[in-house]
Amino acid sequence: MTEGREPDRGLFGEGPRTAARQMALMFALGLGLSLAGIPSVPGQRTALVALAAVQAALALLAWRLPWHRSDPRAPLVLSLPALAILAVSTWAFGGSTAGTAPFYLLLAVWAGMHFSVRAVLALSPFVAASYLVPLFAVERGPMTLTGAVTFVPALVGVGVLIARQMEHQRRDRETIRRMERWRAALSATLAHDVRSPLTSVQFALETLDEEGELPAEQRHSIVSVALRQTGRIRRLAAGLLDADRLDSRGGLRLDLTTVPLRAAVEEAVGYLGAPVRVEVPDGLTVRADPQRLEQMLVNLTANAARHGAPPIVVSAAPDGRGMLAVHVRDHGVGVPEDKRNLLFSRFSSADTGAGSVGLGLWITRELARAHGGDASYAPADPGSRFTVTLPAG
């Protein structure tokens, strides 16, 4: 809850501070009713004045304490003094629940609005005790138990129904927020992964347009590059259609097959304009989706070319656990220590390159995990070494 916690929005929003301030208003309302009830029960004047003072103090504390820094369930503790006050009030008014029953209902609604069904059920024994103890204390007779059998379960039922409805609404809002985040991420990913091949296609078209008398072999070579890049764009577009499933890796569709690793690396680095040395032994295979594997390799090698320095080396070796570790090493200055924990985060601020949106490494890690592997970084002295582990083929 800490990472995704949102600020409270007034008295009708969500969050611990909102819950606490709503309870503060209930304490303040109880304070007013306690003071108003003093003339009607002069024999309990001292008890009611003390009760009013306690409610004033609790209202102030509930309103002023820094609840936004606490656990979202922390304000639930305020229900205990509230129930104690209701019990004392019932006793002070001679066992009459006419004045306290609405507050019990308000408490049930409040608990259901802000806490889980489990929390509401955990509160039910305290509600029952708060309701029954003062009635037995003033000897209201057998009717006491009869009333409790209907009233207390009804209160708990109200709280549970509201809590369930609020949970559905929170899930719906989270689904909407996730869809919005993925819509933004999808647009950013398109810009991130399509820009490079589009540049190559544009260069090829401009060359063909400006050099009308090119030899057939050279023209064929340029067209071949353009067609490879447009094919890559088409595959990326198809892959992005299910990019929103990356959050739940079990739902990401992977067309797994046995892929010769050296050939896959050589094809991926062919998309780059920078030289890359491939030191992957022949005969190594991985169990992977070829298009996703290509995307991971292109992301890592492009990252090394953009942020590192030559030579850039791609190597691979079994890790002894049925996995293959694919390493992409550069010989640049490396990643500052204070940025390393941000490398694989979405929209990472560690990637400060011009035009970068901070998605490449995050996509790589999520795709690796979807295959049952992972992605990691290690300093290489000099330079950086990014590693992707994938199941051996």
Side-chain angles (χ1 to χ4, degrees), residues 4 6 8 52 70 100 102 113 155 176 218 230 260 272 302 305 363-364 366 368:
E6 296 183 356
D8 292 317
S70 65
T100 56
M113 285 178 59
L155 284 176
I176 293 171
Q218 189 175 355
T230 54
L272 300 180
I363 292 170
T364 300
E366 293 301 306

Side-chain angles (χ1 to χ4, degrees), residues 42-108:
Q44 299 293 347
R45 178 186 178 87
T46 302
L48 290 175
V49 169
L51 205 59
V54 170
Q55 289 180 100
L58 288 170
L60 183 62
L61 285 173
W63 190 271
R64 297 301 300 273
L65 286 177
W67 297 99
H68 59 285
R69 301 176 186 172
S70 65
D71 186 280
R73 295 166 295 184
L76 190 62
V77 73
L78 294 171
S79 61
L80 299 180
L83 289 170
I85 288 169
L86 289 174
V88 173
S89 298
T90 300
W91 169 79
F93 284 96
S96 172
T97 58
T100 56
F103 283 91
Y104 279 107
L105 182 59
L106 280 175
L107 185 63

Side-chain angles (χ1 to χ4, degrees), residues 341-364:
N341 63 335
L342 302 173
L343 281 172
F344 294 97
S345 59
R346 197 184 320 194
F347 304 112
S348 172
S349 60
D351 190 348
T352 56
S356 174
V357 294
L359 277 172
L361 292 178
W362 174 79
I363 292 170
T364 300

Side-chain angles (χ1 to χ4, degrees), residues 106-120:
L106 280 175
L107 185 63
V109 172
W110 173 81
M113 285 178 59
H114 295 287
F115 306 103
S116 66
V117 171
R118 184 177 298 179
V120 173

Side-chain angles (χ1 to χ4, degrees), residues 239 242-246 248-254 292 366-367 370-371:
D242 59 358
D244 61 332
R245 300 179 185 176
L246 283 172
S248 56
R249 291 184 294 276
L252 180 65
R253 184 176 59 82
L254 296 175
R292 309 294 188 179
E366 293 301 306
L367 289 175
H371 283 79

Side-chain angles (χ1 to χ4, degrees), residues 296-364:
M296 288 185 278
L297 294 170
V298 168
N299 281 348
L300 289 181
T301 51
N303 181 74
R306 185 167 60 248
H307 298 290
I312 298 169
V313 182
V314 181
S315 60
D319 71 351
R321 297 174 296 175
M323 307 287 283
L324 279 181
V326 183
H327 308 291
V328 177
R329 162 87 188 273
D330 69 74
H331 290 73
V333 297
V335 180
E337 190 170 353
D338 62 333
K339 297 287 188 180
R340 292 174 187 174
N341 63 335
L342 302 173
L343 281 172
F344 294 97
S345 59
R346 197 184 320 194
F347 304 112
S348 172
S349 60
D351 190 348
T352 56
S356 174
V357 294
L359 277 172
L361 292 178
W362 174 79
I363 292 170
T364 300

